[in-house]
Amino acid sequence: MPKSNQHAGQEKDPVRKSPDQAVIWADELRRVVKSRSFYYALVIVVITFISFFPALKGGFLQTWDDEKYVTSNTMIKELSLENIGHMFSKQVNGTYIPLPLLSYSIEYKLFGDNPLPFHTTNLFLHILSTLLVFWILRLLKLDIIYAAFGALLFGIHPMRVESVAWITERKDVMYGFFYLASMVAYIIYVNNKPQNSKLLLLSVLLFLCSLLSKIEAVTLPLTLLLVDFLLLRTDYIKLIREKIPFFILSLLFGLLGVYIIYRVGLKVPDFLKSDHAFSFSEKFLFGLYSLTGYVIKFFVPYSQCGIYSYPVMTGWTGVWISFLNPVLIGLLIILVWWSLRKTRAIAFGALFFLFSVFFLLQIVAVGNGFFADRYTYIAYFGLIFITVWIAAYFGIKNSIWKISGIIVLSIFVLTCSALTFSRSRIWQDDVSLWTDVINQNPGRSMEPYANRGVAYTVKHEWDNALADFTTALLIDPKSEGVFSDRGIVYAFTGEPLKAIADFSVSIGMNPKNAKALFNRGVAYGNTNQADKAIADFRKVLDLDTMNVSAYAGLCMMLVEQKKFDSCRILVGKGLKLDPYRSELYAILGNCELETGDPDKAIAEFRHCLRIDNTSLDAYLGLVAAFVNKDDNANAMTNLRLAQEVAQQQGVRLDGMEDIIKSGVTLLDNKRMAIQTLFPH
């Protein structure tokens, strides 16, 4: 009989296996997918995506800050520890936004200068923020259908387009996402019994991320106090103690924002300048005017503009701003106060809106914008809450009110979606944006004409560019920048004397205008006035010793004067500043060619082409160098390559006359060598 260690009457316990984690997750996923919230969230995502779809086709707005933050921002071009350190320790264009800059750098590392991923990230963050609004409204006990309408209004309101479609405003959608996520964590913390301090810590960390995205997040502590007010929290000592870390962070970043503004000394763009400095009473009235304007544009989103100009205080507008608008705001305050007898919801929404937008009004200005759609990104949550809460309140009373409310909200949502879809197209490029501003404010200011002129210049639409610059100068004949920009167009269209005249006017207004000095130097060089060109390039280097373009221009003139030793020295200085400046190697190649060393010339021209394989100067330099080495086979090969590149650039190279017109450097040896291939 087999022995057993088991005592009589003792049964062996079955082995208990913990459920597989994958099974748990699968069950949870099935539960979520089957829930009503999932399908409402799916509808919200789809409608929001469709409404903003045209924004994905947009490019960078080079005349409206995208250049400063992305395309010309060396800080994001290389994802390195050094550059990440700069992102967290330096400001860009008067703003402290390390997390958006880090996101730009990651995108640039993965996708280069393709604008689609940048726009996609903006829209993705906005959709996440929209879902967070849905979550918050549910946490605040709103019925699911009204919470869905509220989230949709947040997601597809036309006033959102500027924040989503403008790559520069990554800071808006990113700070908004972390701001709302912090609210979610805090509301869950408050609602949970017992309360979990880890959720409060998570809320603080998310708030920090929001501040690192945009300093406007400083209002969050006040928002959380409003949440306490709405949820009827009465332990005042505890709720104040909970906010201490929030207020500390808010104070620190608020002081940082003020320091940056006064340290950098932000200049107000010409388009936003008023005719005189405003008194405090005028600023107060303009602040009230902006406040009412944001409320009106929430319910009636009309006449949106990339830039809003100051209103003229005459006629009906003056009466509205000075008298009627303050009275209206007073009546609204009384109405909100009266509503407290029945509910805290309306006061919560109104104060949420006010606290979020207050520091962006002209009363206490933190920037230079008079009125901007992007300022409502978080603030409109307050108005959205009031709207859907009222609809839900009356919907409970009877089915007719409920159906009527849902119909009105549906019409509002569909209208907003259509307007947002249309508005997103306007933000697709510089020309469409500034054309819209001009159409709404024709002849009002020179700035949109000047910016559109720059956009046309980039697109080589010279006639349109000249027309806009000329119009801008008719509005403001004292704009040195516009004279300089128009001079560039004249230079490109073969009118160097007109270009020199415009550059000279600009320099007369501002002798330290390095851009105008450099371009006048180029124009002097193109009109065989080498001494004047050299003088202008040297003035540029006196103003900016790091200007590699000025080194290149100066060296080209020295080559023309056959001062090859001086040229080599200056090329060396330029290459120390930028070892990847291709034209400097082409200049060195020309020096070696003219001093009788074709082998060194070939090496320099090839170095140039490794950096820039479209350099006609380098290809034709190789042609000349190989002719000097009696290697006509390689000379002809490089000539054909030069002609192929020229054809891609819209330039003909079928003879010496074409080569002369192409603008390449043609000194004695180079000209004579190339000419042997074109005997006629």
Side-chain angles (χ1 to χ4, degrees):
M1 192 171 178
K3 294 183 179 179
S4 173
N5 291 328
Q6 186 174 344
H7 297 292
Q10 183 180 6
E11 295 183 3
K12 192 173 183 180
D13 289 336
V15 177
R16 295 182 180 179
K17 295 183 179 180
S18 59
D20 187 86
Q21 194 66 37
V23 174
I24 295 175
W25 287 349
D27 289 340
E28 182 65 19
L29 180 61
R30 279 193 291 270
R31 186 188 67 78
V32 170
V33 170
K34 290 180 180 179
S35 68
R36 292 173 64 202
S37 295
F38 173 79
Y39 292 102
Y40 277 104
L42 187 61
V43 170
I44 291 167
V45 169
V46 170
I47 294 177
T48 304
F49 178 82
I50 292 173
S51 299
F52 282 98
F53 181 74
L56 298 178
K57 300 178 182 179
F60 292 104
L61 298 176
Q62 302 288 24
T63 61
W64 198 233
D65 288 353
D66 281 355
E67 180 182 17
K68 298 172 185 175
Y69 286 97
V70 183
T71 57
S72 295
N73 185 1
T74 56
M75 199 183 296
I76 72 152
K77 295 299 177 68
E78 183 180 349
L79 188 58
S80 63
L81 289 177
E82 181 182 6
N83 279 341
I84 292 173
H86 290 161
M87 295 173 198
F88 281 85
S89 60
K90 295 183 178 181
Q91 59 81 30
V92 175
N93 197 35
T95 60
Y96 180 68
I97 53 165
L99 290 186
L101 291 175
L102 181 58
S103 70
Y104 291 146
S105 188
I106 293 171
E107 287 164 317
Y108 194 88
K109 175 73 173 179
L110 295 174
F111 308 106
D113 57 1
N114 180 2
L116 176 59
F118 292 85
H119 283 296
T120 303
T121 301
N122 272 25
L123 180 53
F124 177 70
L125 286 169
H126 176 62
I127 289 174
L128 289 180
S129 296
T130 302
L131 292 175
L132 288 173
V133 168
F134 180 53
W135 195 356
I136 291 170
L137 293 174
R138 293 292 289 140
L139 289 171
L140 295 179
K141 310 305 180 186
L142 273 169
D143 186 80
I144 190 168
I145 191 168
Y146 297 106
F149 273 118
L152 274 174
L153 287 176
F154 179 90
I156 65 175
H157 199 283
M159 294 285 276
R160 294 285 172 264
V161 175
E162 184 173 312
S163 296
V164 179
W166 187 10
I167 291 172
T168 286
E169 281 310 305
R170 168 71 53 80
K171 49 187 183 282
D172 252 7
V173 290
M174 185 170 278
Y175 111 85
F177 167 73
F178 287 119
Y179 190 106
L180 295 167
S182 180
M183 283 185 64
V184 167
Y186 182 78
I187 296 171
I188 295 175
Y189 160 77
V190 171
N191 287 340
N192 278 3
K193 305 298 180 189
Q195 291 172 338
N196 186 345
S197 59
K198 291 182 180 179
L199 285 169
L200 186 62
L201 176 60
L202 175 61
S203 182
V204 173
L205 293 175
L206 290 168
F207 176 45
L208 176 60
C209 291
S210 187
L211 289 167
L212 291 171
S213 302
K214 194 174 185 180
I215 290 178
E216 276 75 2
V218 293
T219 60
L220 181 68
L222 299 176
T223 296
L224 299 185
L225 287 174
L226 288 175
V227 170
D228 295 330
F229 166 76
L230 181 67
L231 297 180
L232 305 175
R233 296 188 72 193
T234 56
D235 190 346
Y236 301 116
I237 295 177
K238 180 179 180 182
L239 63 88
I240 291 295
R241 187 173 63 246
E242 291 168 349
K243 307 302 180 301
I244 289 175
F246 292 95
F247 276 110
I248 290 174
L249 287 173
S250 185
L251 178 63
L252 290 175
F253 277 82
L255 292 174
L256 175 64
V258 173
Y259 170 78
I260 288 174
I261 287 174
Y262 284 97
R263 179 74 174 178
V264 175
L266 287 181
K267 295 181 179 179
V268 179
D270 292 338
F271 185 67
L272 298 176
K273 287 180 180 176
S274 58
D275 295 332
H276 63 285
F278 292 125
S279 64
F280 177 78
S281 61
E282 288 174 315
K283 291 169 71 175
F284 180 76
L285 290 173
F286 276 123
L288 296 183
Y289 174 75
S290 298
L291 188 66
T292 309
Y294 290 131
V295 175
I296 293 173
K297 281 184 180 289
F298 172 73
F299 294 103
V300 188
Y302 69 101
S303 297
Q304 290 175 260
C305 194
I307 295 290
Y308 294 90
S309 58
Y310 283 97
V312 179
M313 294 284 284
T314 57
W316 166 251
T317 303
V319 173
W320 169 260
I321 293 174
S322 300
F323 301 105
L324 298 181
N325 186 59
V327 171
L328 176 61
I329 290 178
L331 292 174
L332 289 174
I333 291 172
I334 293 171
L335 183 63
V336 171
W337 180 264
W338 177 82
S339 72
L340 282 170
R341 299 194 302 183
K342 291 185 174 293
T343 179
R344 295 187 176 192
I346 293 175
F348 165 79
L351 290 173
F352 188 108
F353 169 72
L354 180 62
F355 290 165
S356 299
V357 83
F358 179 77
F359 291 105
L360 299 170
L361 303 175
Q362 288 298 308
I363 303 170
V364 182
V366 296
N368 53 33
F370 160 67
F371 188 102
D373 295 355
R374 63 185 180 276
Y375 293 165
T376 67
Y377 192 77
I378 288 295
Y380 267 5
F381 175 85
L383 301 183
I384 289 167
F385 183 84
I386 293 173
T387 302
V388 295
W389 183 89
I390 290 175
Y393 176 79
F394 286 103
I396 293 173
K397 293 185 177 297
N398 61 63
S399 58
I400 295 177
W401 278 107
K402 182 175 182 178
I403 293 171
S404 300
I406 290 174
I407 291 173
V408 170
L409 286 172
S410 298
I411 293 172
F412 191 18
V413 164
L414 290 173
T415 302
C416 285
S417 179
L419 291 173
T420 295
F421 189 90
S422 176
R423 183 77 190 158
S424 295
R425 292 173 172 172
I426 289 171
W427 281 85
Q428 286 191 3
D429 60 40
D430 298 84
V431 172
S432 60
L433 173 64
W434 296 116
T435 298
D436 180 68
V437 175
I438 290 168
N439 289 340
Q440 296 192 53
N441 302 277
R444 182 75 182 274
S445 170
M446 53 74 61
E447 191 78 7
Y449 292 97
N451 284 339
R452 191 173 68 174
V454 172
Y456 280 134
T457 301
V458 172
K459 298 173 74 171
H460 293 182
E461 296 184 22
W462 309 117
D463 291 340
N464 289 330
L466 280 174
D468 274 348
F469 289 140
T470 301
T471 302
L473 289 172
L474 288 173
I475 298 171
D476 181 5
K478 297 182 180 180
S479 177
E480 62 175 88
V482 180
F483 275 109
S484 181
D485 289 334
R486 191 174 70 173
I488 292 172
V489 176
Y490 281 135
F492 273 107
T493 53
E495 298 187 78
L497 297 181
K498 287 185 178 180
I500 290 170
D502 271 0
F503 294 139
S504 297
V505 172
S506 180
I507 293 164
M509 294 178 182
N510 178 11
K512 293 184 179 181
N513 188 331
K515 177 182 174 182
L517 281 166
F518 173 80
N519 286 316
R520 189 175 70 173
V522 173
Y524 278 140
N526 290 336
T527 53
N528 298 318
Q529 301 181 70
D531 289 336
K532 290 183 177 180
I534 288 172
D536 276 350
F537 291 137
R538 291 194 184 280
K539 287 177 184 177
V540 174
L541 290 172
D542 288 339
L543 295 169
D544 179 10
T545 57
M546 307 289 285
N547 193 316
V548 181
S549 295
Y551 275 111
L554 179 57
C555 290
M556 287 180 184
M557 293 299 99
L558 293 174
V559 168
E560 295 280 354
Q561 294 188 337
K562 300 188 178 181
K563 297 179 179 178
F564 302 119
D565 291 338
S566 298
C567 177
R568 289 188 180 98
I569 292 171
L570 290 172
V571 166
K573 291 182 178 180
L575 289 175
K576 283 184 179 179
L577 296 172
D578 185 358
Y580 299 100
R581 197 60 175 251
S582 61
E583 65 263 39
L584 291 176
Y585 293 102
I587 291 168
L588 274 180
N590 285 320
C591 287
E592 302 301 343
L593 192 62
E594 292 302 313
T595 53
D597 195 334
D599 290 323
K600 285 186 178 179
I602 289 169
E604 300 296 350
F605 289 132
R606 282 177 170 167
H607 199 147
C608 171
L609 291 170
R610 280 195 291 272
I611 299 170
D612 176 15
N613 62 4
T614 66
S615 173
L616 292 179
D617 212 344
Y619 279 118
L620 293 173
L622 286 173
V623 172
F626 281 119
V627 168
N628 287 343
K629 287 172 62 67
D630 296 322
D631 187 350
N632 283 353
N634 270 321
M636 289 302 299
T637 298
N638 281 281
L639 179 59
R640 284 192 293 271
L641 290 172
Q643 289 170 330
E644 290 174 7
V645 170
Q647 187 176 15
Q648 294 170 4
Q649 297 175 357
V651 177
R652 289 183 56 186
L653 287 185
D654 294 336
M656 280 304 300
E657 185 177 345
D658 292 335
I659 292 174
I660 292 169
K661 289 180 180 178
S662 72
V664 299
T665 305
L666 282 174
L667 297 183
D668 296 340
N669 283 348
K670 196 172 186 180
R671 180 191 298 270
M672 291 167 55
I674 295 174
Q675 207 157 16
T676 62
L677 301 180
F678 296 102
H680 302 294

